[in-house]
Amino acid sequence: DEFAGEKTLKMDFNYDLAPFNKELEKRDFFMPDVSLANYPHSFLSFASTLNMSYLDSFVEDADPNSKDMRLFIRFSDQNKVFRTFDSYGYKITAVGSSVGYTGSNVDEYLCTYSDRIFELRKNLVLTYLPVTIFNEQLLSKFHRDKLECSFSYIENYESDGKRPHFVHTHFLFPHGPFIYDSEGNNIERDPNLKVDKEGYFDQLKFAEKKSLELIDSIQKRSPESVIIIYSDHGYRQEIDQANLTDEDLIRGFNVISAVYFPGKDTDLPEKLSLVNLYRIFFNTYFDTDYEILEDRQIWYNNIIPTPYVHIDVTDKLNSLI
């Protein structure tokens, strides 16, 4: 969650993602030159990516003043990717994510204390208990336990061999709260900082390191397993929602994506947006014939918020990327 793409990291942190990409290439991953989210916020991005579609149909007839996000949440819960795996006889496990909580296709939920509950708890802690010790006990520890549980599941996973298995894992990091330094040591930072650029950057570097460790653990035990990595949206801490700049558009949409498709020729487009990620996977492995959709990037105002008022910024972003 919120792992910034190559262009953003260079722009905001003067950081080169090339060494991380090279490590992925050593592990037989393929990556597009540019990866873009289609929406710059998790609840819209997951709804789009996991349904392999844009969200136009929800917006066309909706009240533009509505702030009700439950429609998008239900769309994520009943998503097409999970339903497709289920139709092919896969066991489906959701790890560390609230996606699929009301869906009938998920067989088990692990390390999923619910991101929705987490957001409520976070707001409670920061509003009523803005003291470091309480924050550590009621927010950071909760978040760390969830992540460590998810890491452990992946590192110790063993297939039961009974049926194919799709595991959807959502790591809420390098997205805050910032609880790790660049080496993965536990830290405490001021949770009231509106922008904690150092905290984000350190946690991102640990996210790189941990991602490679998790990949190695999977490939060592199960080299035939497909691995898909992507971030749902870009780095948002420094975005001025009220006065969007060109740099803000790059920040919101520039993400990472990489695929390990063992035994398959992989032909990724030079520029890949997340709406097509699973379309490419299903076409490659399940012999489907999904159309590769035109890349579009859609903004919405997160200040008010108005989740049904969407602004197409594709042409503007294309001129910047």
Side-chain angles (χ1 to χ4, degrees):
D1 200 314
E2 203 175 352
F3 197 120
E6 187 171 8
K7 292 184 179 295
T8 300
L9 289 174
K10 191 68 175 178
M11 176 178 69
D12 285 336
F13 298 90
N14 194 29
Y15 185 66
D16 190 357
L17 200 61
F20 177 61
N21 290 339
K22 288 186 183 300
E23 289 298 321
L24 290 174
E25 289 172 355
K26 289 179 183 177
R27 293 160 173 80
D28 295 325
F29 276 78
F30 291 89
M31 290 150 287
D33 293 338
V34 178
S35 299
L36 296 172
N38 300 102
Y39 299 86
H41 299 275
S42 295
F43 76 97
L44 293 173
S45 183
F46 274 126
S48 172
T49 302
L50 291 175
N51 282 286
M52 305 182 288
S53 65
Y54 293 101
L55 306 175
D56 301 347
S57 60
F58 293 121
V59 174
E60 290 171 355
D61 300 321
D63 177 358
N65 297 313
S66 174
K67 299 176 176 59
D68 188 352
M69 300 181 184
R70 288 175 294 180
L71 184 61
F72 298 107
I73 293 172
R74 286 196 297 271
F75 195 45
S76 295
D77 287 343
Q78 304 290 341
N79 70 79
K80 189 170 184 177
V81 168
F82 284 22
R83 286 187 282 114
T84 301
F85 277 112
D86 181 63
S87 72
Y88 279 89
Y90 276 67
K91 175 183 177 181
I92 300 173
T93 298
V95 180
S97 174
S98 61
V99 171
Y101 257 81
T102 62
S104 60
N105 305 111
V106 179
D107 295 286
E108 60 181 354
Y109 306 101
L110 303 174
C111 314
T112 52
Y113 311 137
S114 177
D115 293 339
R116 298 161 209 170
I117 295 173
F118 173 75
E119 286 302 320
L120 292 174
R121 187 170 183 170
K122 173 183 175 182
N123 292 334
L124 172 67
V125 170
L126 297 188
T127 301
Y128 297 104
L129 299 171
V131 182
T132 301
I133 186 170
F134 287 116
N135 177 265
E136 171 62 20
Q137 291 175 348
L138 297 180
L139 179 60
S140 296
K141 185 179 185 304
F142 172 83
H143 185 59
R144 183 179 289 108
D145 287 348
K146 181 178 178 180
L147 281 171
E148 297 292 341
C149 175
S150 301
F151 297 154
S152 178
Y153 175 80
I154 298 298
E155 290 168 337
N156 297 291
Y157 172 79
E158 294 288 347
S159 172
D160 61 14
K162 294 180 180 179
R163 55 177 171 151
H165 193 182
F166 172 61
V167 180
H168 180 271
T169 308
H170 175 207
F171 298 121
L172 193 66
F173 97 131
H175 190 295
F178 304 119
I179 56 175
Y180 298 110
D181 67 13
S182 60
E183 296 300 317
N185 299 307
N186 294 341
I187 59 169
E188 296 180 16
R189 299 187 68 84
D190 184 355
N192 296 301
L193 288 176
K194 185 176 180 180
V195 176
D196 187 354
K197 194 169 182 176
E198 180 183 4
Y200 171 84
F201 187 46
D202 280 349
Q203 195 150 281
L204 179 134
K205 287 186 283 188
F206 175 56
E208 285 186 345
K209 179 175 183 289
K210 194 65 185 180
S211 296
L212 295 175
E213 290 177 357
L214 295 175
I215 290 167
D216 288 343
S217 72
I218 296 170
Q219 291 186 332
K220 181 179 180 180
R221 289 173 286 109
S222 182
E224 73 283 359
S225 292
V226 169
I227 306 173
I228 300 174
I229 299 173
Y230 65 94
S231 46
D232 59 337
H233 58 76
Y235 170 65
R236 291 206 317 251
Q237 277 201 78
E238 297 185 72
I239 290 178
D240 184 349
Q241 298 274 352
N243 301 286
L244 284 179
T245 64
D246 291 351
E247 290 78 11
D248 288 337
L249 289 180
I250 296 173
R251 291 181 181 114
F253 293 102
N254 187 209
V255 296
I256 62 166
S257 65
V259 300
Y260 171 65
F261 287 175
K264 296 289 184 179
D265 293 329
T266 305
D267 185 20
L268 295 180
E270 292 182 0
K271 184 175 69 174
L272 174 67
S273 65
L274 299 182
V275 72
N276 287 314
L277 192 54
Y278 284 101
R279 287 173 174 261
I280 292 171
F281 164 77
F282 286 127
N283 286 351
T284 301
Y285 276 93
F286 290 9
D287 294 325
T288 53
D289 190 27
Y290 285 115
E291 175 188 1
I292 301 304
L293 302 180
E294 179 184 3
D295 291 329
R296 294 169 53 207
Q297 277 66 50
I298 313 296
W299 192 267
Y300 96 102
N301 190 334
N302 193 37
I303 298 177
I304 302 175
T306 51
Y308 296 94
V309 178
H310 289 189
I311 304 168
D312 193 314
V313 295
T314 307
D315 290 342
K316 180 63 174 177
L317 188 62
N318 282 340
S319 71
L320 303 172
I321 293 294

Coordinates of all heavy atoms in Angstrom, one line a residue, residues 93-134:
T93 N -7.7 -17.3 -0.2 CA -7.3 -16.9 1.1 C -7.0 -15.4 1.1 O -6.2 -14.9 0.2 CB -6.0 -17.6 1.7 OG1 -6.3 -19.0 1.8 CG2 -5.6 -17.1 3.0
A94 N -7.6 -14.6 1.9 CA -7.3 -13.2 2.1 C -6.4 -13.0 3.3 O -6.8 -13.3 4.4 CB -8.5 -12.3 2.2
V95 N -5.2 -12.4 3.1 CA -4.3 -12.2 4.2 C -4.0 -10.7 4.4 O -3.7 -10.0 3.5 CB -2.9 -12.9 3.9 CG1 -1.9 -12.7 5.1 CG2 -3.1 -14.4 3.7
G96 N -4.3 -10.2 5.6 CA -4.0 -8.9 6.0 C -4.8 -7.8 5.2 O -4.4 -6.7 5.1
S97 N -6.0 -8.2 4.8 CA -6.8 -7.3 4.0 C -8.3 -7.4 4.4 O -8.8 -8.4 4.8 CB -6.6 -7.6 2.5 OG -7.5 -6.8 1.7
S98 N -9.0 -6.2 4.2 CA -10.4 -6.3 4.4 C -11.2 -6.5 3.1 O -12.4 -6.7 3.1 CB -10.9 -4.9 5.0 OG -10.6 -3.9 4.1
V99 N -10.4 -6.6 2.0 CA -11.1 -6.9 0.7 C -11.7 -8.3 0.8 O -11.1 -9.3 1.2 CB -10.1 -6.8 -0.4 CG1 -10.7 -7.4 -1.7 CG2 -9.6 -5.4 -0.6
G100 N -12.9 -8.4 0.4 CA -13.6 -9.7 0.4 C -14.3 -10.1 1.6 O -14.8 -11.2 1.8
Y101 N -14.5 -9.1 2.6 CA -15.0 -9.5 3.9 C -16.5 -9.9 3.8 O -16.9 -10.7 4.6 CB -14.9 -8.3 4.8 CG -13.8 -8.5 5.8 CD1 -12.5 -8.3 5.5 CD2 -14.1 -9.0 7.1 CE1 -11.5 -8.5 6.4 CE2 -13.0 -9.3 8.0 CZ -11.7 -9.0 7.6 OH -10.7 -9.2 8.5
T102 N -17.2 -9.4 2.9 CA -18.6 -9.9 2.7 C -18.8 -10.8 1.5 O -19.9 -11.2 1.2 CB -19.6 -8.7 2.6 OG1 -19.3 -7.9 1.4 CG2 -19.4 -7.8 3.8
G103 N -17.7 -11.1 0.9 CA -17.8 -12.0 -0.3 C -18.0 -13.4 0.0 O -17.5 -13.9 1.1
S104 N -18.7 -14.2 -0.8 CA -18.9 -15.6 -0.5 C -17.9 -16.5 -1.1 O -17.9 -17.7 -0.9 CB -20.3 -16.0 -1.2 OG -20.3 -15.7 -2.6
N105 N -16.9 -15.9 -1.9 CA -15.9 -16.7 -2.6 C -14.6 -16.9 -1.7 O -13.8 -17.7 -2.1 CB -15.5 -16.0 -3.9 CG -16.7 -15.7 -4.8 OD1 -17.0 -14.5 -5.0 ND2 -17.3 -16.7 -5.3
V106 N -14.5 -16.2 -0.6 CA -13.2 -16.3 0.2 C -13.4 -17.5 1.2 O -14.4 -17.5 1.9 CB -12.9 -15.0 0.9 CG1 -11.7 -15.2 1.7 CG2 -12.8 -13.9 -0.1
D107 N -12.4 -18.4 1.1 CA -12.5 -19.5 2.0 C -12.0 -19.2 3.4 O -12.4 -19.8 4.4 CB -11.6 -20.7 1.4 CG -12.3 -21.2 0.1 OD1 -13.3 -21.9 0.2 OD2 -11.7 -20.9 -1.0
E108 N -11.0 -18.4 3.5 CA -10.4 -18.0 4.9 C -9.8 -16.6 4.9 O -9.3 -16.2 3.9 CB -9.4 -19.1 5.3 CG -8.2 -19.2 4.4 CD -7.2 -20.2 4.8 OE1 -7.4 -20.8 5.9 OE2 -6.2 -20.5 4.1
Y109 N -9.9 -16.0 6.0 CA -9.4 -14.7 6.3 C -8.3 -14.9 7.4 O -8.6 -15.4 8.4 CB -10.4 -13.7 6.8 CG -11.6 -13.6 5.9 CD1 -12.8 -14.2 6.2 CD2 -11.5 -12.8 4.7 CE1 -13.9 -14.1 5.3 CE2 -12.6 -12.7 3.9 CZ -13.8 -13.4 4.2 OH -14.9 -13.3 3.4
L110 N -7.1 -14.4 7.1 CA -6.0 -14.5 8.0 C -5.4 -13.2 8.2 O -5.2 -12.4 7.3 CB -4.9 -15.5 7.5 CG -5.4 -16.9 7.2 CD1 -4.3 -17.7 6.5 CD2 -6.0 -17.6 8.5
C111 N -5.0 -12.9 9.5 CA -4.4 -11.6 9.9 C -5.2 -10.4 9.4 O -4.7 -9.4 9.1 CB -3.0 -11.5 9.2 SG -1.9 -13.0 9.4
T112 N -6.5 -10.6 9.3 CA -7.4 -9.6 8.8 C -8.2 -9.0 9.9 O -9.4 -9.4 10.0 CB -8.3 -10.1 7.7 OG1 -8.9 -11.3 8.2 CG2 -7.4 -10.5 6.4
Y113 N -7.7 -8.0 10.6 CA -8.4 -7.4 11.7 C -9.3 -6.3 11.1 O -9.9 -5.6 11.9 CB -7.4 -6.8 12.7 CG -6.4 -7.8 13.1 CD1 -5.1 -7.4 13.2 CD2 -6.7 -9.1 13.4 CE1 -4.1 -8.3 13.6 CE2 -5.7 -10.0 13.7 CZ -4.4 -9.6 13.9 OH -3.4 -10.5 14.2
S114 N -9.4 -6.2 9.8 CA -10.2 -5.3 9.1 C -9.6 -3.9 9.0 O -9.5 -3.2 10.0 CB -11.6 -5.2 9.6 OG -12.4 -4.2 8.9
D115 N -9.3 -3.4 7.8 CA -8.8 -2.1 7.6 C -9.8 -1.0 8.0 O -9.5 0.0 8.4 CB -8.4 -1.9 6.2 CG -7.2 -2.7 5.8 OD1 -6.5 -3.2 6.7 OD2 -7.0 -3.0 4.6
R116 N -11.1 -1.4 7.9 CA -12.1 -0.4 8.2 C -12.1 -0.2 9.7 O -12.2 0.9 10.2 CB -13.5 -0.9 7.7 CG -13.5 -1.0 6.2 CD -14.7 -1.9 5.8 NE -14.3 -2.5 4.5 CZ -14.9 -3.5 3.9 NH1 -16.0 -4.0 4.5 NH2 -14.5 -4.0 2.8
I117 N -12.0 -1.3 10.5 CA -11.9 -1.1 12.0 C -10.6 -0.4 12.3 O -10.6 0.4 13.2 CB -12.0 -2.5 12.6 CG1 -13.3 -3.2 12.4 CG2 -11.7 -2.4 14.1 CD1 -13.4 -4.6 12.8
F118 N -9.5 -0.7 11.6 CA -8.3 -0.1 11.9 C -8.4 1.4 11.7 O -7.8 2.2 12.5 CB -7.2 -0.6 10.9 CG -5.9 0.1 11.0 CD1 -5.0 -0.2 12.1 CD2 -5.5 1.0 10.1 CE1 -3.8 0.5 12.2 CE2 -4.3 1.6 10.2 CZ -3.5 1.4 11.2
E119 N -9.0 1.9 10.7 CA -9.2 3.3 10.5 C -9.9 4.0 11.6 O -9.6 5.1 12.1 CB -9.8 3.6 9.1 CG -8.9 3.4 7.9 CD -7.6 4.2 8.0 OE1 -7.7 5.4 8.3 OE2 -6.6 3.6 7.6
L120 N -11.0 3.3 12.1 CA -11.8 3.8 13.2 C -10.9 3.9 14.4 O -10.9 4.9 15.2 CB -13.0 3.0 13.4 CG -14.1 3.0 12.4 CD1 -15.2 2.0 12.7 CD2 -14.7 4.4 12.2
R121 N -10.1 2.9 14.7 CA -9.3 2.8 15.8 C -8.2 3.9 15.8 O -7.9 4.5 16.7 CB -8.7 1.4 15.9 CG -7.9 1.2 17.2 CD -7.6 -0.3 17.4 NE -6.9 -0.5 18.6 CZ -6.6 -1.7 19.1 NH1 -7.0 -2.8 18.5 NH2 -6.0 -1.9 20.3
K122 N -7.6 4.0 14.6 CA -6.6 5.1 14.4 C -7.2 6.4 14.7 O -6.5 7.2 15.4 CB -6.1 5.0 12.9 CG -5.2 6.1 12.6 CD -4.8 6.0 11.1 CE -4.0 7.2 10.6 NZ -3.6 7.2 9.2
N123 N -8.3 6.7 14.2 CA -8.9 8.1 14.5 C -9.2 8.2 16.0 O -9.0 9.3 16.5 CB -10.2 8.2 13.7 CG -9.9 8.3 12.2 OD1 -8.9 8.8 11.8 ND2 -10.9 8.0 11.4
L124 N -9.7 7.2 16.6 CA -9.9 7.3 18.1 C -8.6 7.6 18.8 O -8.6 8.5 19.7 CB -10.5 5.9 18.5 CG -10.7 5.8 20.1 CD1 -11.7 6.8 20.6 CD2 -11.1 4.4 20.4
V125 N -7.6 6.8 18.5 CA -6.3 7.0 19.2 C -5.8 8.4 19.0 O -5.3 9.1 19.9 CB -5.3 5.9 18.7 CG1 -3.9 6.2 19.3 CG2 -5.7 4.5 19.2
L126 N -5.7 8.8 17.8 CA -5.1 10.1 17.5 C -5.9 11.3 18.0 O -5.4 12.4 18.2 CB -4.8 10.2 16.0 CG -3.9 9.2 15.4 CD1 -3.6 9.6 13.9 CD2 -2.6 9.2 16.2
T127 N -7.2 11.1 18.1 CA -8.1 12.2 18.6 C -8.1 12.3 20.1 O -8.0 13.4 20.6 CB -9.5 12.0 18.0 OG1 -9.5 11.9 16.6 CG2 -10.4 13.1 18.5
Y128 N -8.2 11.1 20.7 CA -8.5 11.2 22.2 C -7.2 10.8 23.0 O -7.2 11.1 24.2 CB -9.6 10.2 22.5 CG -10.9 10.7 21.9 CD1 -11.5 10.0 20.8 CD2 -11.6 11.8 22.4 CE1 -12.7 10.5 20.3 CE2 -12.8 12.2 21.9 CZ -13.3 11.6 20.8 OH -14.5 12.0 20.2
L129 N -6.3 10.1 22.4 CA -5.1 9.6 23.1 C -3.8 10.0 22.4 O -3.1 9.1 22.0 CB -5.2 8.1 23.3 CG -6.4 7.6 24.1 CD1 -6.4 6.1 24.1 CD2 -6.3 8.1 25.6
P130 N -3.6 11.3 22.2 CA -2.4 11.7 21.4 C -1.1 11.7 22.2 O -0.3 12.6 22.1 CB -2.8 13.1 21.0 CG -3.6 13.6 22.1 CD -4.4 12.4 22.6
V131 N -0.9 10.6 23.0 CA 0.2 10.5 23.8 C 1.0 9.3 23.3 O 0.4 8.2 23.0 CB -0.1 10.2 25.3 CG1 1.1 10.1 26.2 CG2 -1.0 11.4 25.8
T132 N 2.3 9.4 23.2 CA 3.1 8.4 22.5 C 2.9 7.0 23.1 O 2.7 6.0 22.3 CB 4.6 8.7 22.6 OG1 4.8 10.0 22.0 CG2 5.4 7.7 21.9
I133 N 2.9 6.8 24.4 CA 2.8 5.5 25.0 C 1.4 4.8 24.6 O 1.3 3.6 24.3 CB 3.0 5.5 26.5 CG1 3.0 4.1 27.0 CG2 1.9 6.3 27.2 CD1 3.4 4.0 28.5
F134 N 0.3 5.6 24.6 CA -1.0 5.1 24.2 C -1.0 4.8 22.8 O -1.6 3.8 22.3 CB -2.1 6.1 24.6 CG -2.4 6.1 26.1 CD1 -2.1 7.3 26.8 CD2 -2.8 5.0 26.8 CE1 -2.4 7.4 28.1 CE2 -3.1 5.1 28.1 CZ -2.8 6.3 28.8

